[in-house]
Amino acid sequence: IKSSGTHSKEWYQMEAVFRVSLGNFLFFAILALVMIGVKDQNDRRDSWHHDGWIAKLVIWVLLTTLMFFMPNEVITIYGTLSKFGAGLFLLVQVIILLDATHSWNDAWVAKDEQKWYYALLAVSVVCYIAAFTISGILFIWFNPSGHDCGLNVFFLVTTMILAFSFAVIALHPQVNGSLLPASVISVYCAYVCYTGLSCEPRDYTCNGLHNKSAVSTSTLVLGMLTTVLSVLYSALRAGSSTTFLSPPSSPKSGAKKPLLDSKELEEGKEKKETEPRPVSYSYTFFHLIFALASMYSAMLLSGWTSSSESSELIDVGWTSVWVRIGTEWVTAALYVWTLVAPLIIPDREFF
């Protein structure tokens, strides 16, 4: 893409990113709307969700192509809305992480064998060592001697305090938590802190990472990998969890009421075979995750619509920094809430 007299090369690149992202978003948003109200597999739309891949591919190509003929004002509006959609996706990503860590811990505890308890302890210790090691390395990279880097020090010290606080709260007798989720969340917070600090402008004196292309590439790869894993995990959990994404009518939604009462069971095997089977997860929420991921990917590739730096530096700027740090703090707040909420609201179940 070459620059013209009206717009720069960076502008055309960002426009291409947003137009492809808008095509993806509309594709999944339309599917999410179409799938509203699907409760059993006899619904015709159930086959639309699982089949028709050629038709879906054609529709996706048409929508993406059509976006390149939309006026610039529409793309500008979508870019603004993408900030909110990407933020919502980050929130969902945090919830998915919390769900995964608690499920992991519950699965090993349920085995009720001494070797699994040792495994829990070993993984927890390794994760905590990794979390504090990462924080120590970040002190070297982002707090160079001879410079006043109070903001970076604040971010790093806060991250270490949060990691320590997670263990203290989780191991409190009244909380009855576990060290594994606390350690995994600590590592995640340290990682998010790194991604935030690495997004600082390259001319910022407290940014000790000067290999521009390597840092930009690693930030992009890690961010996209996290996005893909979040989407894939949400899809897997949708089909396997007893509560996650499951509609009220689902047999996996945790309802104790049987799908067929005793009278219906007595009517014979033939009627049971024709009885509609509820869907195992919400198709609407499934496609909504992908729609939000499309917005987040656009923000990741465009540096949250910040074009103040070279286009070779993806996801660089103070907006990206504060988005990452904010994500870390929201993650910490949500995790602490899952620990203390049962004490505040004992009648509710949290994870």
Side-chain angles (χ1 to χ4, degrees), residues 337-349:
W337 172 250
T338 63
L339 294 177
V340 302
L343 301 177
I344 302 173
I345 314 175
D347 296 333
R348 296 285 298 277
E349 180 180 353

Side-chain angles (χ1 to χ4, degrees), residues 193-212:
C193 184
Y194 157 71
T195 61
L197 294 175
S198 65
C199 291
E200 291 177 339
R202 296 295 173 256
D203 57 356
Y204 183 48
T205 56
C206 294
N207 188 347
L209 301 179
H210 301 295
N211 189 343
K212 298 182 178 181

Side-chain angles (χ1 to χ4, degrees), residues 23 35 78 82 95 98 108 117 163 165 174-176 182 191 204 234 240 248 253 277 283 295 297 300 304 309 322 339:
M35 296 299 165
Y78 174 73
S82 293
I95 295 175
L98 293 173
W108 283 14
Y117 292 120
S165 301
Q174 291 185 345
V175 173
N176 194 27
Y191 158 72
Y204 183 48
S234 66
S240 62
S253 62
R277 293 182 298 173
Y283 296 164
M295 285 184 161
S297 299
L300 187 67
W304 295 81
E309 304 220 19
W322 284 106
L339 294 177

